[in-house]
Amino acid sequence: MAHAHSLICIANQLSLLPPSSSSSLPLPSEQERLITYHHFYDKIALYLSQGYAVIYVLESDITKVIRNLSKVCAIEIEEYIEKGALTIIDANSFYSPSETRFDYNILLAQWQKIVSSVSKKGKFRGVMVMGMPHAAFFDSRENQQKLIEYEEQVAKHYDGSLQVFCCYKKELIDKLPLGYLLRLLAAHQDTVINRNSNNQGSFGTNNQNVQRTIDLIEEGLAEAVGKETSALVLKTLKLIYKIDRDKIVSDPETFEEKIRKMLGKEAAAPVLRMIAERIKSEIVI
């Protein structure tokens, strides 16, 4: 069996507005939508072809997903659904704020129930799941905290028996403060960086993830304030606040708090934003 892993995929162009939106912006065409989700559809086709069962919880129009999958992947989607290898679930219903109340216990129970049910439908090589949390998770700091708690609980219960892809819209990830972004990344064992010729990538081992994240934080800080000031800030963090390189990642909210204290709230805002953008520039697909 291929090595199981948890992966975060942050999609760069999923700016899809619901038909009921009051925005005057035009909805993307069907072709644009296919391009937008092409990465995910390719992933589904790949895993199905390798004998995995796939659980897809990213979109809400199941009929449209089936039609688009058939167009993009040129495989018999209905056949995979009939034999239980492909399960497509309405994402809005699955992550519904009114039903789940953003409670990670409810969400975890739902996942466990679905995975257990699918696993019994055939002799699969393994199970791959793809999910995208509801936009309401990002509406307030309180809901964002619940999102992070949910992801951390998923990581805590993750035993490596599944292939897991947690997907997010970039415009929603942009709402997270740096501390939450770092906690979100820490909750995943591997993290997609850009795309290679196989449309995949990852930092590598957990320790490499941590070191690379620290490097990106330092690069973002240097871009924001210059190398000399950056070195001074990092030295002060270590000597005065006992925040070394590793603690920046293990306790990101304290790091964020001390940066604000050192630079002042106004001056710190663009610095923290620059660090966040530097990190996102490598994990967005």
mmCIF file of all heavy atoms in Angstrom, residues 202-238:
data_model
loop_
_atom_site.group_PDB
_atom_site.id
_atom_site.type_symbol
_atom_site.label_atom_id
_atom_site.label_comp_id
_atom_site.label_asym_id
_atom_site.label_seq_id
_atom_site.Cartn_x
_atom_site.Cartn_y
_atom_site.Cartn_z
ATOM 1 N N SER A 202 5.142 17.974 -1.827
ATOM 2 C CA SER A 202 5.001 18.053 -0.382
ATOM 3 C C SER A 202 6.317 18.492 0.219
ATOM 4 O O SER A 202 7.385 18.370 -0.388
ATOM 5 C CB SER A 202 4.577 16.712 0.210
ATOM 6 O OG SER A 202 5.693 15.875 0.375
ATOM 7 N N PHE A 203 6.251 19.023 1.435
ATOM 8 C CA PHE A 203 7.461 19.423 2.125
ATOM 9 C C PHE A 203 8.336 18.207 2.412
ATOM 10 O O PHE A 203 9.534 18.276 2.389
ATOM 11 C CB PHE A 203 7.112 20.086 3.464
ATOM 12 C CG PHE A 203 6.764 21.545 3.349
ATOM 13 C CD1 PHE A 203 5.629 22.038 3.963
ATOM 14 C CD2 PHE A 203 7.563 22.421 2.643
ATOM 15 C CE1 PHE A 203 5.305 23.380 3.883
ATOM 16 C CE2 PHE A 203 7.249 23.761 2.562
ATOM 17 C CZ PHE A 203 6.118 24.249 3.177
ATOM 18 N N GLY A 204 7.745 17.096 2.760
ATOM 19 C CA GLY A 204 8.519 15.907 3.106
ATOM 20 C C GLY A 204 8.178 15.434 4.505
ATOM 21 O O GLY A 204 7.021 15.350 4.871
ATOM 22 N N THR A 205 9.183 15.143 5.313
ATOM 23 C CA THR A 205 8.936 14.642 6.660
ATOM 24 C C THR A 205 8.464 15.760 7.569
ATOM 25 O O THR A 205 8.613 16.940 7.263
ATOM 26 C CB THR A 205 10.220 14.038 7.261
ATOM 27 O OG1 THR A 205 11.168 15.097 7.454
ATOM 28 C CG2 THR A 205 10.817 12.993 6.349
ATOM 29 N N ASN A 206 7.925 15.384 8.728
ATOM 30 C CA ASN A 206 7.416 16.372 9.677
ATOM 31 C C ASN A 206 8.485 17.377 10.068
ATOM 32 O O ASN A 206 8.240 18.578 10.156
ATOM 33 C CB ASN A 206 6.880 15.673 10.929
ATOM 34 C CG ASN A 206 5.575 14.951 10.640
ATOM 35 O OD1 ASN A 206 5.017 15.088 9.571
ATOM 36 N ND2 ASN A 206 5.113 14.175 11.601
ATOM 37 N N ASN A 207 9.713 16.889 10.359
ATOM 38 C CA ASN A 207 10.784 17.786 10.773
ATOM 39 C C ASN A 207 11.143 18.753 9.656
ATOM 40 O O ASN A 207 11.401 19.934 9.900
ATOM 41 C CB ASN A 207 12.018 16.983 11.184
ATOM 42 C CG ASN A 207 13.126 17.870 11.726
ATOM 43 O OD1 ASN A 207 12.924 18.594 12.700
ATOM 44 N ND2 ASN A 207 14.286 17.830 11.089
ATOM 45 N N GLN A 208 11.142 18.240 8.421
ATOM 46 C CA GLN A 208 11.412 19.126 7.280
ATOM 47 C C GLN A 208 10.314 20.171 7.144
ATOM 48 O O GLN A 208 10.586 21.314 6.789
ATOM 49 C CB GLN A 208 11.523 18.298 5.992
ATOM 50 C CG GLN A 208 12.778 17.453 5.912
ATOM 51 C CD GLN A 208 12.771 16.525 4.720
ATOM 52 O OE1 GLN A 208 11.717 16.047 4.299
ATOM 53 N NE2 GLN A 208 13.943 16.240 4.177
ATOM 54 N N ASN A 209 9.066 19.776 7.422
ATOM 55 C CA ASN A 209 7.954 20.729 7.369
ATOM 56 C C ASN A 209 8.202 21.888 8.311
ATOM 57 O O ASN A 209 8.035 23.055 7.963
ATOM 58 C CB ASN A 209 6.645 20.048 7.790
ATOM 59 C CG ASN A 209 6.093 19.125 6.724
ATOM 60 O OD1 ASN A 209 6.648 19.020 5.645
ATOM 61 N ND2 ASN A 209 5.022 18.457 7.052
ATOM 62 N N VAL A 210 8.572 21.550 9.545
ATOM 63 C CA VAL A 210 8.801 22.576 10.572
ATOM 64 C C VAL A 210 9.924 23.507 10.148
ATOM 65 O O VAL A 210 9.788 24.733 10.215
ATOM 66 C CB VAL A 210 9.146 21.912 11.930
ATOM 67 C CG1 VAL A 210 9.600 22.968 12.934
ATOM 68 C CG2 VAL A 210 7.939 21.154 12.469
ATOM 69 N N GLN A 211 11.031 22.937 9.707
ATOM 70 C CA GLN A 211 12.178 23.764 9.322
ATOM 71 C C GLN A 211 11.852 24.654 8.128
ATOM 72 O O GLN A 211 12.255 25.814 8.089
ATOM 73 C CB GLN A 211 13.390 22.867 9.005
ATOM 74 C CG GLN A 211 13.923 22.105 10.207
ATOM 75 C CD GLN A 211 14.223 23.021 11.395
ATOM 76 O OE1 GLN A 211 14.864 24.072 11.240
ATOM 77 N NE2 GLN A 211 13.762 22.644 12.574
ATOM 78 N N ARG A 212 11.121 24.101 7.159
ATOM 79 C CA ARG A 212 10.774 24.898 5.983
ATOM 80 C C ARG A 212 9.815 26.014 6.363
ATOM 81 O O ARG A 212 9.928 27.144 5.864
ATOM 82 C CB ARG A 212 10.146 24.001 4.894
ATOM 83 C CG ARG A 212 9.839 24.749 3.596
ATOM 84 C CD ARG A 212 11.066 25.411 3.028
ATOM 85 N NE ARG A 212 10.775 26.236 1.863
ATOM 86 C CZ ARG A 212 11.379 27.382 1.584
ATOM 87 N NH1 ARG A 212 12.319 27.868 2.391
ATOM 88 N NH2 ARG A 212 11.063 28.048 0.495
ATOM 89 N N THR A 213 8.871 25.726 7.255
ATOM 90 C CA THR A 213 7.937 26.759 7.711
ATOM 91 C C THR A 213 8.685 27.882 8.403
ATOM 92 O O THR A 213 8.413 29.067 8.176
ATOM 93 C CB THR A 213 6.883 26.148 8.670
ATOM 94 O OG1 THR A 213 6.170 25.121 7.994
ATOM 95 C CG2 THR A 213 5.897 27.211 9.133
ATOM 96 N N ILE A 214 9.653 27.516 9.244
ATOM 97 C CA ILE A 214 10.463 28.537 9.939
ATOM 98 C C ILE A 214 11.236 29.385 8.933
ATOM 99 O O ILE A 214 11.310 30.612 9.054
ATOM 100 C CB ILE A 214 11.428 27.862 10.936
ATOM 101 C CG1 ILE A 214 10.636 27.217 12.079
ATOM 102 C CG2 ILE A 214 12.407 28.880 11.509
ATOM 103 C CD1 ILE A 214 11.461 26.316 12.975
ATOM 104 N N ASP A 215 11.802 28.716 7.933
ATOM 105 C CA ASP A 215 12.536 29.456 6.888
ATOM 106 C C ASP A 215 11.622 30.461 6.194
ATOM 107 O O ASP A 215 12.022 31.609 5.932
ATOM 108 C CB ASP A 215 13.100 28.479 5.846
ATOM 109 C CG ASP A 215 14.262 27.652 6.388
ATOM 110 O OD1 ASP A 215 14.835 28.034 7.432
ATOM 111 O OD2 ASP A 215 14.584 26.619 5.767
ATOM 112 N N LEU A 216 10.399 30.043 5.884
ATOM 113 C CA LEU A 216 9.457 30.933 5.205
ATOM 114 C C LEU A 216 9.062 32.105 6.093
ATOM 115 O O LEU A 216 8.906 33.237 5.612
ATOM 116 C CB LEU A 216 8.202 30.148 4.793
ATOM 117 C CG LEU A 216 8.386 29.107 3.687
ATOM 118 C CD1 LEU A 216 7.137 28.258 3.535
ATOM 119 C CD2 LEU A 216 8.739 29.783 2.358
ATOM 120 N N ILE A 217 8.909 31.858 7.382
ATOM 121 C CA ILE A 217 8.596 32.939 8.323
ATOM 122 C C ILE A 217 9.728 33.952 8.339
ATOM 123 O O ILE A 217 9.498 35.173 8.275
ATOM 124 C CB ILE A 217 8.362 32.365 9.744
ATOM 125 C CG1 ILE A 217 7.062 31.561 9.788
ATOM 126 C CG2 ILE A 217 8.321 33.490 10.784
ATOM 127 C CD1 ILE A 217 6.876 30.756 11.051
ATOM 128 N N GLU A 218 10.954 33.471 8.405
ATOM 129 C CA GLU A 218 12.119 34.368 8.430
ATOM 130 C C GLU A 218 12.254 35.127 7.115
ATOM 131 O O GLU A 218 12.602 36.317 7.107
ATOM 132 C CB GLU A 218 13.381 33.568 8.740
ATOM 133 C CG GLU A 218 13.391 33.006 10.157
ATOM 134 C CD GLU A 218 14.675 32.274 10.496
ATOM 135 O OE1 GLU A 218 15.507 32.064 9.577
ATOM 136 O OE2 GLU A 218 14.865 31.921 11.676
ATOM 137 N N GLU A 219 11.966 34.443 6.008
ATOM 138 C CA GLU A 219 12.032 35.124 4.706
ATOM 139 C C GLU A 219 10.978 36.226 4.616
ATOM 140 O O GLU A 219 11.254 37.325 4.119
ATOM 141 C CB GLU A 219 11.818 34.108 3.575
ATOM 142 C CG GLU A 219 12.981 33.159 3.375
ATOM 143 C CD GLU A 219 12.650 32.015 2.417
ATOM 144 O OE1 GLU A 219 11.641 32.145 1.679
ATOM 145 O OE2 GLU A 219 13.380 31.005 2.404
ATOM 146 N N GLY A 220 9.772 35.917 5.079
ATOM 147 C CA GLY A 220 8.699 36.916 5.061
ATOM 148 C C GLY A 220 9.016 38.098 5.948
ATOM 149 O O GLY A 220 8.759 39.255 5.583
ATOM 150 N N LEU A 221 9.592 37.826 7.110
ATOM 151 C CA LEU A 221 9.981 38.901 8.043
ATOM 152 C C LEU A 221 11.061 39.780 7.417
ATOM 153 O O LEU A 221 10.992 41.017 7.499
ATOM 154 C CB LEU A 221 10.481 38.283 9.349
ATOM 155 C CG LEU A 221 10.856 39.248 10.476
ATOM 156 C CD1 LEU A 221 9.650 40.087 10.893
ATOM 157 C CD2 LEU A 221 11.388 38.468 11.687
ATOM 158 N N ALA A 222 12.035 39.158 6.764
ATOM 159 C CA ALA A 222 13.113 39.911 6.115
ATOM 160 C C ALA A 222 12.573 40.757 4.969
ATOM 161 O O ALA A 222 13.003 41.907 4.772
ATOM 162 C CB ALA A 222 14.188 38.954 5.607
ATOM 163 N N GLU A 223 11.623 40.215 4.202
ATOM 164 C CA GLU A 223 11.023 40.986 3.109
ATOM 165 C C GLU A 223 10.273 42.203 3.649
ATOM 166 O O GLU A 223 10.233 43.253 3.008
ATOM 167 C CB GLU A 223 10.049 40.102 2.324
ATOM 168 C CG GLU A 223 10.729 39.073 1.425
ATOM 169 C CD GLU A 223 9.714 38.175 0.725
ATOM 170 O OE1 GLU A 223 8.558 38.613 0.545
ATOM 171 O OE2 GLU A 223 10.074 37.033 0.364
ATOM 172 N N ALA A 224 9.679 42.039 4.814
ATOM 173 C CA ALA A 224 8.853 43.112 5.385
ATOM 174 C C ALA A 224 9.672 44.221 6.033
ATOM 175 O O ALA A 224 9.348 45.403 5.888
ATOM 176 C CB ALA A 224 7.877 42.525 6.401
ATOM 177 N N VAL A 225 10.726 43.853 6.755
ATOM 178 C CA VAL A 225 11.453 44.876 7.535
ATOM 179 C C VAL A 225 12.928 44.998 7.174
ATOM 180 O O VAL A 225 13.635 45.849 7.714
ATOM 181 C CB VAL A 225 11.329 44.582 9.051
ATOM 182 C CG1 VAL A 225 9.877 44.627 9.488
ATOM 183 C CG2 VAL A 225 11.966 43.239 9.413
ATOM 184 N N GLY A 226 13.413 44.153 6.279
ATOM 185 C CA GLY A 226 14.825 44.161 5.928
ATOM 186 C C GLY A 226 15.597 43.136 6.747
ATOM 187 O O GLY A 226 15.182 42.763 7.845
ATOM 188 N N LYS A 227 16.726 42.682 6.217
ATOM 189 C CA LYS A 227 17.487 41.608 6.854
ATOM 190 C C LYS A 227 18.028 41.995 8.220
ATOM 191 O O LYS A 227 17.996 41.199 9.168
ATOM 192 C CB LYS A 227 18.640 41.178 5.941
ATOM 193 C CG LYS A 227 18.174 40.406 4.707
ATOM 194 C CD LYS A 227 19.355 39.872 3.912
ATOM 195 C CE LYS A 227 18.888 39.056 2.710
ATOM 196 N NZ LYS A 227 20.021 38.519 1.927
ATOM 197 N N GLU A 228 18.562 43.219 8.359
ATOM 198 C CA GLU A 228 19.169 43.627 9.632
ATOM 199 C C GLU A 228 18.120 43.722 10.734
ATOM 200 O O GLU A 228 18.314 43.222 11.849
ATOM 201 C CB GLU A 228 19.895 44.966 9.473
ATOM 202 C CG GLU A 228 21.154 44.866 8.632
ATOM 203 C CD GLU A 228 21.927 46.186 8.588
ATOM 204 O OE1 GLU A 228 21.550 47.123 9.333
ATOM 205 O OE2 GLU A 228 22.891 46.268 7.813
ATOM 206 N N THR A 229 17.001 44.371 10.434
ATOM 207 C CA THR A 229 15.926 44.501 11.428
ATOM 208 C C THR A 229 15.327 43.135 11.745
ATOM 209 O O THR A 229 14.998 42.841 12.902
ATOM 210 C CB THR A 229 14.820 45.439 10.909
ATOM 211 O OG1 THR A 229 15.392 46.707 10.588
ATOM 212 C CG2 THR A 229 13.728 45.623 11.953
ATOM 213 N N SER A 230 15.217 42.293 10.729
ATOM 214 C CA SER A 230 14.692 40.952 10.922
ATOM 215 C C SER A 230 15.569 40.171 11.903
ATOM 216 O O SER A 230 15.060 39.508 12.822
ATOM 217 C CB SER A 230 14.623 40.208 9.587
ATOM 218 O OG SER A 230 14.273 38.851 9.775
ATOM 219 N N ALA A 231 16.882 40.260 11.706
ATOM 220 C CA ALA A 231 17.813 39.557 12.590
ATOM 221 C C ALA A 231 17.683 40.068 14.023
ATOM 222 O O ALA A 231 17.728 39.297 14.983
ATOM 223 C CB ALA A 231 19.242 39.743 12.091
ATOM 224 N N LEU A 232 17.496 41.385 14.160
ATOM 225 C CA LEU A 232 17.344 41.997 15.483
ATOM 226 C C LEU A 232 16.048 41.525 16.153
ATOM 227 O O LEU A 232 16.034 41.216 17.355
ATOM 228 C CB LEU A 232 17.343 43.520 15.360
ATOM 229 C CG LEU A 232 17.208 44.316 16.664
ATOM 230 C CD1 LEU A 232 18.361 43.991 17.610
ATOM 231 C CD2 LEU A 232 17.164 45.813 16.366
ATOM 232 N N VAL A 233 14.970 41.465 15.372
ATOM 233 C CA VAL A 233 13.676 41.015 15.898
ATOM 234 C C VAL A 233 13.778 39.573 16.383
ATOM 235 O O VAL A 233 13.325 39.240 17.490
ATOM 236 C CB VAL A 233 12.578 41.136 14.816
ATOM 237 C CG1 VAL A 233 11.313 40.388 15.251
ATOM 238 C CG2 VAL A 233 12.252 42.597 14.549
ATOM 239 N N LEU A 234 14.392 38.707 15.575
ATOM 240 C CA LEU A 234 14.524 37.295 15.947
ATOM 241 C C LEU A 234 15.411 37.124 17.177
ATOM 242 O O LEU A 234 15.134 36.280 18.045
ATOM 243 C CB LEU A 234 15.090 36.495 14.769
ATOM 244 C CG LEU A 234 14.167 36.371 13.551
ATOM 245 C CD1 LEU A 234 14.915 35.759 12.373
ATOM 246 C CD2 LEU A 234 12.939 35.528 13.883
ATOM 247 N N LYS A 235 16.460 37.945 17.266
ATOM 248 C CA LYS A 235 17.352 37.887 18.424
ATOM 249 C C LYS A 235 16.625 38.311 19.691
ATOM 250 O O LYS A 235 16.761 37.700 20.755
ATOM 251 C CB LYS A 235 18.562 38.787 18.179
ATOM 252 C CG LYS A 235 19.645 38.674 19.255
ATOM 253 C CD LYS A 235 20.864 39.499 18.880
ATOM 254 C CE LYS A 235 21.969 39.346 19.931
ATOM 255 N NZ LYS A 235 23.164 40.150 19.573
ATOM 256 N N THR A 236 15.809 39.380 19.567
ATOM 257 C CA THR A 236 15.030 39.869 20.712
ATOM 258 C C THR A 236 14.004 38.827 21.160
ATOM 259 O O THR A 236 13.807 38.599 22.352
ATOM 260 C CB THR A 236 14.309 41.185 20.344
ATOM 261 O OG1 THR A 236 15.280 42.145 19.924
ATOM 262 C CG2 THR A 236 13.536 41.734 21.534
ATOM 263 N N LEU A 237 13.345 38.206 20.194
ATOM 264 C CA LEU A 237 12.374 37.166 20.517
ATOM 265 C C LEU A 237 13.021 36.049 21.329
ATOM 266 O O LEU A 237 12.445 35.540 22.299
ATOM 267 C CB LEU A 237 11.776 36.578 19.232
ATOM 268 C CG LEU A 237 10.740 37.419 18.492
ATOM 269 C CD1 LEU A 237 10.432 36.804 17.128
ATOM 270 C CD2 LEU A 237 9.452 37.549 19.303
ATOM 271 N N LYS A 238 14.248 35.678 20.941
ATOM 272 C CA LYS A 238 14.930 34.578 21.605
ATOM 273 C C LYS A 238 15.454 34.974 22.988
ATOM 274 O O LYS A 238 15.261 34.237 23.963
ATOM 275 C CB LYS A 238 16.097 34.096 20.730
ATOM 276 C CG LYS A 238 16.801 32.870 21.276
ATOM 277 C CD LYS A 238 17.861 32.369 20.309
ATOM 278 C CE LYS A 238 18.544 31.118 20.866
ATOM 279 N NZ LYS A 238 19.561 30.588 19.920
#
